[in-house]
Amino acid sequence: MKTPPQNLLKRNHMILIFLIVLLLSTCSTDHPLAKPTIFPRSSSSSNIQLSLKPLILNGNLSFEDIHEAAKDFGNMYHFLPSAILYPETVSDISTIIKNINEMGTTSGLTVAARGNGHSVQGQAQANQGIVIDMKSLRGPEMQFYTGELPYVDVSGGELWVNILNESLKHGLSPKSWTDFLHLTVGGTLSNAGVSGQAFRHGPQINNVYQLEVVTGKGELVTCSEKQNTDLFYGVLGGLGQFGIITRARISLQAAPIMVKWIRVLYSDFSLFTKDQEHLISSQNAFDYIEGFVIINRTGLVNSWRSTFNPKDPVQASQFISDGKTLFCLEMAKYFNPQEIDFMNQKVDSLLSELSYIESTLFLSEATYVEFLDRVHVSMLKLQEKGLWDLPHPWLNLIIPRSRIHEFAQEVFGNILTDTSNGPILIYPFNKSKWNNRTSMITPEEDVLYLVAFLSSAMPGSTGTDGLEYIFSQNKRILDFCKSANLGMKQYLPHYLTQEEWKIHFGTKWEVFLRRKFTNDPLAILAPGHRIFQKGKVSQ
């Protein structure tokens, strides 16, 4: 007998726990669509072809087979472009943008840079515009500097997993990651790039020395902390509004070989957050710290046995998770094989300071690559079962530490009580590790919590696993944050009006607006965010 899709989804919740592509996207619950919708081309597409076909390019400008550029991981918005540019060189990108600038506002053409298609709300789409496939960009090979402050120069269309594999050949590795490595450099740096290392190293945008950017005017600009500084910090976390990242210089550090990977459970939210905050304040604690919420998950501990070993098998077998809201703390300690004894002593010492449920201590060891690329393995399993291409109405929030208990009491006590449609992540990071000069917006507190509701919806369902139900649930969460005045900010925000964007940026809106006017005055770039309309940027 075939297993119904709904049951398949539930059976794979533990796999979905790993799908934490945070740097990618968020969900606005004012979403107007209940199912994936295709927005067709306009009749003016033939005129666009006539104006763009004569351009001399090293790559290829395709007016056919454009449907792929109208898809993303969210599987909710599908805006058809007029063409896809497959650039071979940076000059291809510059030429297209300069040409569109010369057309002025009458063409209505916009440009979106698309990496690996993991946005959720159509942010990398350009309705009747030009989508640039950044993975086609062929720049110089990765160039490594292995001196005192090591770094690597990479193309903006390069995948982080490739950077990991190449840097390890030099005994090096980037410092900060997203949980899914099959994302492009330009994509994550245009947002923030957050994972369990952010408490120590900050997001990925804090670990960049230099950028090469094609602005909304088509100008190729090299920028850094000391050169074209305003553009440098504007582009980092700038949602693609000021320029397209074509090359980046990424900070590196010595890479470990192995990882001790640990999970423990809590039934008390206060103890859970207290221990998390204790760990991120320690100078020599774990190298990775994340947490997630588990709502009414049957047989939770048993489902970990294929990957993790219980510290005490007898006690673990007696633990029952049914019908409870539990909180999982996930930690990792990096080490080299010759350091294993010292590492185990250190881990035991750190764990002795925590207040988790003792019978739920589960441990595992993995290579550094296996640990960092763990989500890709889960993705392949989901693809086999047809569960990867579902709609993903995700909601990602940053909550101030002073309000996290109030948030949890309402959301996990009243709004989400029976079950969840995907992983719920919750973990703290230190605001001091974030650079306030970037375009990324966070609340103003020393410790902040990332809370991510990574839901998957079953197409056609009208139940609790349906798109409309999840939208309404997300809206309840957002409405509570607003009514309680929590000071929350959406991570990788999505809004439908410029007024909402102004509220999001707050006192930094004028800076954001000035940067837009300076670098993309016709509002050609990144139309999928719906911040500006073409030709309507003014100071």
Side-chain angles (χ1 to χ4, degrees):
M1 179 184 292
K2 278 193 172 183
T3 306
Q6 290 86 348
N7 290 338
L8 268 176
L9 184 61
K10 292 174 182 176
R11 289 185 182 184
N12 285 277
H13 267 160
M14 284 313 301
I15 296 176
L16 284 166
I17 283 176
F18 295 108
L19 303 181
I20 32 190
V21 191
L22 294 182
L23 36 197
L24 299 177
S25 54
T26 190
C27 169
S28 166
T29 51
D30 293 326
H31 198 301
L33 306 176
K35 58 183 180 181
T37 303
I38 296 288
F39 293 85
R41 291 187 189 186
S42 71
S43 58
S44 62
S45 60
S46 59
N47 294 331
I48 294 171
Q49 292 189 39
L50 289 173
S51 62
L52 295 179
K53 273 188 174 180
L55 295 178
I56 299 175
L57 302 169
N58 297 296
N60 177 42
L61 184 64
S62 175
F63 297 92
E64 306 298 331
D65 300 323
I66 58 173
H67 284 78
E68 188 63 27
K71 297 178 182 178
D72 62 20
F73 183 67
N75 199 23
M76 293 178 291
Y77 281 110
H78 295 280
F79 291 103
L80 279 174
S82 293
I84 303 175
L85 172 66
Y86 298 94
E88 187 171 314
T89 63
V90 173
S91 65
D92 290 341
I93 299 173
S94 178
T95 297
I96 284 287
I97 294 177
K98 284 180 178 179
N99 185 264
I100 294 175
N101 265 280
E102 291 171 2
M103 293 181 187
T105 59
T106 56
S107 73
L109 274 178
T110 55
V111 174
R114 185 181 193 271
N116 217 14
H118 281 266
S119 58
V120 172
Q121 298 282 358
Q123 288 94 334
Q125 298 176 30
N127 190 26
Q128 301 176 26
I130 309 298
V131 170
I132 300 177
D133 187 331
M134 294 300 294
K135 291 187 297 180
S136 298
L137 182 62
R138 298 175 186 172
E141 296 295 322
M142 292 186 208
Q143 297 177 352
F144 287 87
Y145 171 74
T146 58
E148 184 178 353
L149 295 174
Y151 62 78
V152 58
D153 288 331
V154 298
S155 166
E158 190 62 81
L159 298 181
W160 283 99
V161 67
N162 295 336
I163 299 173
L164 171 64
N165 291 328
E166 289 300 313
S167 61
L168 285 176
K169 295 176 182 178
H170 300 270
L172 299 168
S173 166
K175 300 173 182 177
S176 191
W177 298 97
T178 52
D179 286 297
F180 188 50
L181 303 189
H182 292 250
L183 309 172
T184 60
V185 168
T188 64
L189 296 185
S190 294
N191 292 292
V194 181
S195 181
Q197 302 89 3
F199 77 95
R200 173 165 294 170
H201 298 292
Q204 289 181 321
I205 56 175
N206 271 44
N207 294 277
V208 181
Y209 292 143
Q210 183 176 288
L211 297 172
E212 179 186 84
V213 175
V214 177
T215 71
K217 299 176 183 179
E219 299 169 342
L220 180 61
V221 181
T222 298
C223 53
S224 66
E225 186 178 11
K226 296 181 179 179
Q227 180 183 10
N228 298 307
T229 305
D230 192 60
L231 180 61
F232 178 69
Y233 287 117
V235 168
L236 293 172
L239 306 175
Q241 293 298 310
F242 316 121
I244 296 174
I245 297 172
T246 55
R247 200 154 181 82
R249 179 166 291 176
I250 309 297
S251 173
L252 302 176
Q253 65 178 1
I257 296 174
M258 297 295 294
V259 174
K260 175 73 84 172
W261 190 3
I262 305 158
R263 284 180 179 170
V264 294
L265 293 176
Y266 296 76
S267 58
D268 186 314
F269 185 75
S270 295
L271 292 177
F272 171 67
T273 55
K274 179 182 177 182
D275 282 357
Q276 283 190 314
E277 291 167 20
H278 166 69
L279 290 175
I280 70 165
S281 68
S282 302
Q283 293 298 315
N284 189 26
F286 292 99
D287 298 290
Y288 160 99
I289 296 170
E290 288 193 4
F292 49 90
V293 183
I294 303 148
I295 299 175
N296 196 21
R297 187 74 50 74
T298 302
L300 173 69
V301 170
N302 285 333
S303 67
W304 288 352
R305 292 184 186 275
S306 62
T307 305
F308 294 84
N309 296 314
K311 182 74 172 181
D312 187 328
V314 175
Q315 284 195 40
S317 65
Q318 297 172 352
F319 179 79
I320 299 175
S321 61
D322 298 9
K324 300 176 182 178
T325 296
L326 298 168
F327 307 95
C328 175
L329 176 56
E330 185 172 48
M331 301 156 284
K333 186 69 175 174
Y334 305 156
F335 68 101
N336 293 320
Q338 66 271 22
E339 305 165 338
I340 189 167
D341 291 336
F342 175 78
M343 180 276 301
N344 283 328
Q345 292 174 11
K346 181 63 178 178
V347 166
D348 288 342
S349 175
L350 291 169
L351 291 175
S352 70
E353 301 170 3
L354 307 181
S355 303
Y356 56 88
I357 301 170
E358 290 189 8
S359 62
T360 66
L361 173 57
F362 277 64
L363 306 99
S364 180
E365 287 184 9
T367 68
Y368 186 56
V369 173
E370 287 170 342
F371 174 72
L372 290 179
D373 204 26
R374 63 199 180 280
V375 177
H376 185 243
V377 176
S378 301
M379 181 204 78
L380 295 176
K381 293 178 181 178
L382 290 171
Q383 284 181 330
E384 289 177 1
K385 300 177 187 298
L387 297 175
W388 183 253
D389 295 323
L390 299 174
H392 296 100
W394 287 6
L395 179 65
N396 300 276
L397 309 175
I398 300 178
I399 309 292
R401 172 188 175 276
S402 63
R403 310 299 295 275
I404 193 64
H405 292 273
E406 184 179 351
F407 175 87
Q409 183 177 3
E410 175 64 21
V411 174
F412 306 132
N414 296 321
I415 297 177
L416 299 174
T417 55
D418 297 326
T419 187
S420 61
N421 292 291
I424 303 172
L425 306 182
I426 179 167
Y427 59 90
F429 55 84
N430 299 304
K431 178 66 180 290
S432 62
K433 302 296 184 179
W434 294 58
N435 194 316
N436 285 330
R437 289 175 287 181
T438 69
S439 292
M440 175 65 188
I441 300 296
T442 61
E444 293 299 327
E445 277 197 15
D446 293 337
V447 175
L448 303 171
Y449 274 83
L450 179 70
V451 187
F453 302 89
L454 307 183
S455 301
S456 298
M458 294 305 301
S461 174
T462 58
T464 58
D465 58 355
L467 203 55
E468 287 294 348
Y469 182 87
I470 298 171
F471 284 154
S472 64
Q473 202 169 61
N474 287 350
K475 187 175 188 304
R476 287 182 65 190
I477 294 170
L478 289 174
D479 286 348
F480 165 71
C481 291
K482 184 177 180 180
S483 63
N485 195 26
L486 294 186
M488 173 274 293
K489 293 293 183 182
Q490 288 192 30
Y491 174 60
L492 313 192
H494 172 77
Y495 299 106
L496 299 179
T497 68
Q498 192 176 84
E499 286 304 311
E500 292 174 299
W501 282 107
K502 288 181 180 179
I503 294 171
H504 171 78
F505 283 104
T507 57
K508 291 189 175 181
W509 170 252
E510 293 302 323
V511 173
F512 196 85
L513 182 62
R514 175 183 56 75
R515 286 171 171 169
K516 184 69 172 180
F517 184 79
T518 301
N519 298 291
D520 183 23
L522 294 185
I524 289 171
L525 299 178
H529 287 282
R530 301 174 184 84
I531 305 176
F532 301 98
Q533 294 183 40
K534 184 171 180 182
K536 295 185 178 180
V537 180
S538 59
Q539 288 188 296

